[in-house]
Amino acid sequence: MDSASTHAYDPHRTAPRALATEAVHAGRDDLARQGLHAAPIDLSTTYPSYDSRAEAARIDAFAADGAEPQGPPVYGRLGNPTVARFETALATLEGTEAAVAFASGMAALSAVLLARSAMGLRHVVAVRPLYGCSDHLLTAGLLGSEVTWTDPAGIADALRPDTGLVMVESPANPTLAEVDLRAVAHACGTVPLLADNTFATPVLQRPAEHGARLVLHSATKYLGGHGDVMAGVVACDEEFAGRLRQVRFATGGVLHPLAGYLLLRGLSTLPVRVRAASATAADLAVRLAADPRVARVHYPRIGGAMVAFEVHGDPHEVIAGVRLVTPAVSLGSVDTLIQHPASISHRIVDADDRRGAGVSDRLLRMSVGLEDVEDLWADLDQALGQPLPAPQVPVGLHEALS
Ligand SMILES: *Cc1c(COP(=O)(O)O)cnc(C)c1O
C-alpha cells in the first residue's frame, strides 16, 4: 500500500487526514460550530415548507440525476440528515465520492441489481463463495437477474453485452478466500465491479483504490460493531450513487435515522475495534492451526478479525460446547461469535454449490471480538473436546441420522 492510500479521500481538503482521524471526525465537521458534540438525530418523516415551488424544483432535480437534494429535506424516503452524516463518513473512509445507506446489506445489494437491470443490464458475473443470501439472491434470480458463476480467471470470458455487474467478496464469507481486486477490476473492463468489503472493512482494505466501482457493506457487522443495528451501504462514485438514491426512493429500503446515528457512532471506534480484534484473531488462528483437533485453519493474508476452521470432530458439538463465545450467526460485534455455515449462514445455498465453493461441512466460522485472548482460547479448548478416536464419524452421516 502506498503512503497516500493510508489517507481518506476528500477532494476539497489540502492536508489529508489519516483514517483513524476521519473515523471520529468525518460527517461531523459542522458540529462544533453549531455548539453540538454528539450528532443530532432527526426523526422527521416529513419537512414543512411554505415554498412549494422550491420543493418542486428539488424533486425535479432529484428525478434528473438522484443528487442529494440541496436545501431543506422533503420527505424521509428521499433523504435524512442523520443518515447523510453516516454516508459522508463512510464514503470518506472508503475513499469514494459518495455512499448510499439502506435498511440492510441485502437491501443495498438489491438496489444495485435493480439499478443495473433498469438499464437493461441484467446479467451478473460472480465469484463464489459469497455470503449465503447474496448467493441465493443471484442464483434464484429473485430480482430478474441472471448469474454466471466463475473463478477470477474466468471473469473476462464470462462478460456479455448485457453484463451489468461483476461481484466478488474478499475475504469471502465464510472461507475467507481472497481475490486480487486489482486484477479482477482489470478483467471487468468497463463493467462495474462490486466488492463486498464487509469482512475487511476500510480499515484493512479500500477496494475503490484497486478499481472496484462499488463497495458494499453489510453495516450490520463491523461498521455498527455492537450487534444492535441492521444496515447496508454502498460506497461509490456520485453518478452511481444518484441511481441508487433513486432506486432507494422508489423501492423504500431506507435506513432508519436511529440506525444512522448508531452507525456513525460505530465508525468512530472502527479502526480501534478492528485492529484489536484482528490481533486476537491472528493469535487464535495460530493456536488453532497447531491443534490436533483442527484439520484446517483459514485466515486471510490481509488479516482481520474473522477466523474459519475445519474440525476433525463434529462441528455441531463445538457450537453446543461454547460458554463464553456466543453461538450465533452474524459477525463484527464486540463479543466473539461462532456459527456453522453449512447449517446457518450458507444453508440456503445448494449443498453441492456450497461444497464446490470450498465450504466444508466441517467448517466453523468465528468472528473474534474484544475479549481477552486467553479467555477465548480456554473456551475454544474446552468446546473442541477430546481428540476423536480414529476412524472419524463423517458429518454427513451424523446429519442423515438427526
Ligand atoms: C451479512 C452479510 C451480508 C448481508 O447483510 P445484511 O445486513 O444481513 O442484510 C452481505 N454480505 C456479507 C459479506 C455479509 O456478511
Side-chain angles (χ1 to χ4, degrees):
M1 225 180 283
D2 60 24
S3 61
S5 68
T6 60
H7 292 103
Y9 168 91
D10 182 342
H12 306 298
R13 188 171 291 129
T14 47
R17 302 193 296 200
L19 188 98
T21 306
E22 294 293 3
V24 291
H25 286 283
R28 309 158 178 88
D29 281 329
D30 60 317
L31 292 179
R33 258 163 292 143
Q34 292 190 55
L36 297 172
H37 191 218
I41 303 173
D42 183 344
L43 293 172
S44 302
T45 56
T46 191
Y47 296 85
S49 169
Y50 292 102
D51 187 352
S52 44
R53 287 186 195 85
E55 282 207 307
R58 288 205 292 285
I59 291 167
D60 286 351
F62 182 79
D65 61 6
E68 196 83 70
Q70 297 299 308
V74 178
Y75 183 59
R77 192 152 32 72
L78 240 158
N80 171 275
T82 310
V83 171
R85 288 183 185 280
F86 163 65
E87 293 172 330
T88 300
L90 196 266
T92 305
L93 297 184
E94 284 289 1
T96 58
E97 289 174 349
V100 185
F102 295 88
S104 68
M106 293 316 300
L109 178 57
S110 297
V112 172
L113 294 174
L114 290 172
R116 297 311 277 166
S117 358
M119 300 174 75
L121 303 169
R122 50 181 290 276
H123 180 239
V124 179
V125 172
V127 175
R128 278 190 169 120
L130 296 178
Y131 168 65
C133 204
S134 303
D135 186 313
H136 171 66
L137 180 60
L138 294 175
T139 303
L142 289 176
L143 295 171
S145 61
E146 182 198 335
V147 66
T148 300
W149 296 103
T150 184
D151 55 14
I155 289 174
D157 285 342
L159 299 178
R160 308 193 316 211
D162 65 339
T163 306
L165 193 70
V166 175
M167 179 168 179
V168 299
E169 269 178 35
S170 187
N173 190 347
T175 60
L176 309 180
E178 291 169 278
V179 301
D180 179 342
L181 288 174
R182 195 174 293 277
V184 165
H186 183 73
C188 292
T190 56
V191 177
L193 169 64
L194 182 152
D196 186 324
N197 203 31
T198 300
F199 276 31
T201 82
V203 177
L204 300 178
Q205 161 181 284
R206 287 172 292 283
E209 290 172 356
H210 303 296
R213 187 165 176 203
L214 303 158
V215 181
L216 180 93
H217 281 275
S218 167
T220 311
K221 315 293 170 54
Y222 288 101
L223 305 188
H226 297 73
D228 55 7
V229 53
M230 290 212 77
V233 64
V234 181
C236 58
D237 53 87
E238 179 52 36
E239 185 192 345
F240 210 111
R243 286 188 227 125
L244 291 176
R245 287 187 203 104
Q246 289 173 333
V247 170
R248 182 177 64 179
F249 173 63
T251 60
V254 293
L255 185 68
H256 193 276
L258 275 176
Y261 175 86
L262 287 171
L263 289 168
L264 187 70
R265 190 169 74 164
L267 286 185
S268 59
T269 55
L270 181 70
V272 174
R273 284 187 284 110
V274 168
R275 292 206 176 99
S278 297
T280 307
D283 188 330
L284 291 175
V286 169
R287 298 188 199 206
L288 287 165
D291 196 290
R293 297 164 294 183
V294 175
R296 189 171 169 203
V297 175
H298 305 250
Y299 189 68
R301 277 177 305 131
I302 194 178
M306 300 297 298
V307 183
F309 56 99
E310 293 164 34
V311 289
H312 286 302
D314 184 344
H316 300 286
E317 293 303 321
V318 180
I319 298 291
V322 289
R323 292 295 172 265
L324 175 67
V325 174
T326 308
V329 73
S330 197
L331 55 119
S333 189
V334 286
D335 58 326
T336 298
L337 309 178
I338 194 167
Q339 64 107 19
H340 181 227
S343 296
I344 311 196
S345 66
H346 290 68
R347 188 72 187 171
I348 201 162
V349 180
D350 176 82
D352 288 337
D353 292 339
R354 195 167 64 220
R355 292 179 193 127
V359 185
S360 158
D361 287 355
R362 293 176 180 278
L363 185 79
L364 292 163
R365 190 195 74 190
M366 184 164 66
S367 163
V368 177
L370 299 176
E371 301 94 333
D372 182 82
V373 66
E374 299 302 338
D375 290 334
L376 288 173
W377 179 248
D379 193 38
L380 285 174
D381 184 38
Q382 63 81 27
L384 282 164
Q386 298 302 313
L388 262 199
Q392 298 144 13
V393 179
V395 175
L397 177 63
H398 176 96
E399 280 174 343
L401 296 173
S402 63

